[in-house]
Amino acid sequence: MAVVSKMIPAPDKVKIRTALLSVSDKTGVVELAQALSSHGVRLLSTGGTFKALAAAGLDVTDVSEVTGFPEIMDGRVKTLHPGVHGGLLAIRDDADHVKAMNDHKIGAIDLAVINLYPFEEVRAAGGDYPTTVENIDIGGPAMIRAAAKNHAYVTVVVDPQDYPQLIQALATEDGQTAYAFRQKMAAKAYARTAAYDTMISNWFAEALDIEMPRYRTLGGVLSQEMRYGENPHQSAGFYLTGDKRPGVATASLIQGKQLSYNNINDTDAAYELVAEFPSENGPACAIIKHANPCGVAIGGSLVEAYKRALACDSTSAFGGIIALNQTLDAATAEEIVKLFTEVIIAPDVTDEAKAIIARKPNLRLLAAGGLPDPRSRGLTAKTVSGGLLVQTRDNGMVEDLDLRVVTKRAPTEQELIDMKFAFKVGKHVKSNAVVYAKNGQTAGIGAGQMSRVDSARIAGLKAEEAAKAMGWAEPMTRGSAVASEAFLPFADGLLSMIAAGATAVIQPGGSMRDEEVIAAANEHGVAMVFTGMRHFRH
């Protein structure tokens, strides 16, 4: 049953006479308490916060003196009491509420400064199950929500970044806060508790192996507000979820301008792709443009891998994103700065390479600290009108699949290596995807077409253009292996691949016309392998 409002108008200015401070993160809390004390504010506090304020010489009252009840159960119960929540929730202009406060000797609390147990940090650090559960805050969210609900009279602050704003407000308003400020802080408070509970619920789902729980929320903390989104008329922000997967969200920005919305999207795509090639297996480079790879290669050195990736489509690489699977060295940096590039991301960067990249002050340089594990579990999500589409991360690896040769001719050892290479790349190309590869280098990439035949043709054309640009006698698709990330529904796609020069094909299989496609491969002496796994990417 809904509670009917008594429609008591909120006062504009409210004097802060009593403040409750209970924080896990002690950053700036002593300075804030000192400012409050200078305005004659009575300070209430709990546990470690009480000790910190008392040690700083402040006159502070332990909450247990307000509740008449000590902290019990290792601090699990200390603020869950009418003496606290009555002081936060009482409507100051309601006679019945005032009478209840007087009858039960409940004092008003005008300011609640609260931040929560470090659940996110404990989870990210790999805390065991009991430790992580123990860091689920109960009293903190209850007080935050109570204070935020009663923002007509109570100011709630949950973020140390807002302490200077509160101190300034008190200084200019003679120890008072304005209603607009209290509203703003209340909105932030509810967002904070929502994000906190999101982290907890998602951790439980992960710990209990519940892939699709009945209720699913996503939450994050604003890392940066951007000038615009995909286009200048769209606003955008980048929120961090707390997931410590190495990548653009956790990387250190060594130099360059703030990353844009499109930069972040493309850099994530690039780094997830290059992570398919473990650093211990040798150097690899991926060059991304508009979330699709335009060149991917391995090499005997990092600079060789970069040059080979660039050769696939040097035109599209202009203004692209470069991802490396090993520490960026000076030789590779010298080559990269010859081309206009938006972002470079690598696990680490040598000092010599940093100095070289510094010649291009607008070039963003990121050190991710490691590579993400392509086999690890996780979730991806996108919005649709009125809902969220959530799925587990595509962590399928071609090395883990039972590959099945379906043609009369089996692939050669080199063709099989190139097949696997192409299929790895195809996993990160927008569907419909066709990827030609030869000797550990993409030869041509066709992405995002409505027809797979068109993807095959476009990839072939790209290879011909690359051959002209590089002065090669023929396109690299001649004698290449080709991957389709989903099954070939008709033989026409295969025939386009053969026309481009492919001699071996890897695809998931599973079409109603598989036999027709296999027959066409046999007719042309092409080897074909089925993976049994597709990699749609929309």
Side-chain angles (χ1 to χ4, degrees), residues 451-480:
S451 163
R452 197 165 298 278
V453 176
D454 288 341
S455 290
R457 289 171 177 164
I458 288 170
L461 289 172
K462 285 285 188 181
E464 291 175 6
E465 291 171 357
K468 290 178 183 178
M470 299 300 295
W472 297 332
E474 62 180 13
M476 279 200 301
T477 50
R478 301 298 175 190
S480 67

Side-chain angles (χ1 to χ4, degrees), residues 70 102 125 138 302 395 494 528:
N102 292 333
I138 302 301
L302 203 61
N395 61 354
L494 173 66
M528 184 179 290

Side-chain angles (χ1 to χ4, degrees), residues 115-121 132 134-138 140-141 190-202 219-220:
N115 57 57
L116 306 174
Y117 289 177
F119 175 86
E120 296 100 327
E121 290 82 353
T132 307
E134 199 58 36
N135 278 276
I136 296 174
D137 204 332
I138 302 301
Y190 279 117
R192 174 65 186 119
T193 57
Y196 191 75
D197 284 340
T198 291
M199 300 285 185
I200 294 168
S201 65
N202 287 338

Side-chain angles (χ1 to χ4, degrees), residues 182-461:
R182 298 194 300 277
Q183 283 182 305
K184 180 181 176 183
M185 292 296 101
K188 188 170 189 176
Y190 279 117
R192 174 65 186 119
T193 57
Y196 191 75
D197 284 340
T198 291
M199 300 285 185
I200 294 168
S201 65
N202 287 338
W203 171 76
F204 266 115
E206 181 182 299
L208 302 178
D209 201 23
I210 304 171
E211 288 190 344
M212 295 298 145
R214 176 75 175 88
Y215 298 98
R216 167 71 74 188
T217 56
L218 300 176
V221 178
L222 182 65
S223 172
Q224 69 179 72
E225 190 169 350
M226 298 165 173
R227 290 192 298 127
Y228 57 84
E230 281 185 290
N231 301 291
H233 64 279
Q234 295 172 271
S235 58
F238 185 34
Y239 288 81
L240 304 182
T241 65
D243 186 354
K244 296 304 179 183
R245 184 178 180 86
V248 64
T250 56
S252 299
L253 179 63
I254 294 174
Q255 74 154 56
K257 300 182 294 183
Q258 183 185 68
L259 275 75
S260 70
Y261 181 101
N262 292 328
N263 288 156
I264 290 173
N265 187 59
D266 291 351
T267 303
D268 178 68
Y271 209 54
E272 289 290 333
L273 169 50
V274 85
E276 297 280 348
F277 305 95
S279 57
E280 61 268 22
N281 291 351
C285 174
I287 305 175
I288 294 287
K289 194 71 173 290
H290 299 303
N292 275 306
C294 51
V296 184
I298 57 176
S301 65
L302 203 61
V303 67
E304 182 188 4
Y306 166 69
K307 288 179 176 179
R308 298 183 83 220
L310 179 62
C312 179
D313 189 351
S314 57
T315 300
S316 297
F318 182 85
I321 311 293
I322 296 173
L324 307 166
N325 73 338
Q326 293 183 352
T327 298
L328 174 62
D329 56 19
T332 310
E334 285 284 9
E335 286 298 320
I336 291 175
V337 295
K338 295 176 182 178
L339 179 75
F340 171 62
T341 301
E342 289 278 0
V343 181
I344 305 170
I345 184 169
D348 204 353
V349 183
T350 67
D351 290 339
E352 294 80 6
K354 289 177 185 177
I356 293 166
I357 300 299
R359 300 176 199 160
K360 303 282 186 176
N362 290 333
L363 172 54
R364 291 94 160 174
L365 178 60
L366 300 174
L371 286 173
D373 180 1
R375 287 185 173 86
S376 67
R377 300 174 60 189
L379 295 175
T380 63
K382 64 172 66 176
T383 61
V384 295
S385 297
L388 288 170
L389 281 172
V390 179
Q391 64 177 346
T392 55
R393 187 184 303 280
D394 183 358
N395 61 354
M397 298 287 289
V398 67
E399 291 90 347
D400 302 334
L401 303 179
D402 184 16
L403 303 183
R404 183 164 62 96
V405 178
V406 295
T407 49
K408 293 177 182 177
R409 183 174 79 80
T412 66
E413 183 179 352
Q414 185 59 50
E415 284 175 331
L416 186 59
I417 291 171
D418 287 335
M419 281 179 169
K420 292 179 179 179
F421 179 91
F423 202 65
K424 282 184 177 183
V425 175
K427 172 181 170 183
H428 296 267
V429 179
K430 299 291 185 181
S431 300
N432 288 312
V434 171
V435 178
Y436 297 90
K438 187 175 181 180
N439 298 325
Q441 180 181 10
T442 51
I445 300 171
Q449 298 304 304
M450 291 69 74
S451 163
R452 197 165 298 278
V453 176
D454 288 341
S455 290
R457 289 171 177 164
I458 288 170
L461 289 172

Side-chain angles (χ1 to χ4, degrees), residues 113-171:
V113 179
I114 301 163
N115 57 57
L116 306 174
Y117 289 177
F119 175 86
E120 296 100 327
E121 290 82 353
V122 171
R123 177 195 179 192
D128 59 26
Y129 190 94
T131 302
T132 307
V133 169
E134 199 58 36
N135 278 276
I136 296 174
D137 204 332
I138 302 301
M143 289 188 292
I144 289 173
R145 291 174 61 83
K149 177 174 180 173
N150 203 27
H151 65 272
Y153 304 93
V154 179
T155 305
V156 58
V157 178
V158 298
D159 188 343
Q161 290 188 14
D162 292 322
Y163 294 172
Q165 190 177 356
L166 173 61
I167 292 170
Q168 180 64 25
L170 295 173

Side-chain angles (χ1 to χ4, degrees), residues 65-67 81-84 98-108:
E65 294 184 34
V66 173
T67 64
H81 190 280
V84 173
V98 173
K99 182 178 184 303
M101 293 174 75
N102 292 333
D103 289 347
H104 298 285
K105 297 181 175 57
I106 296 172

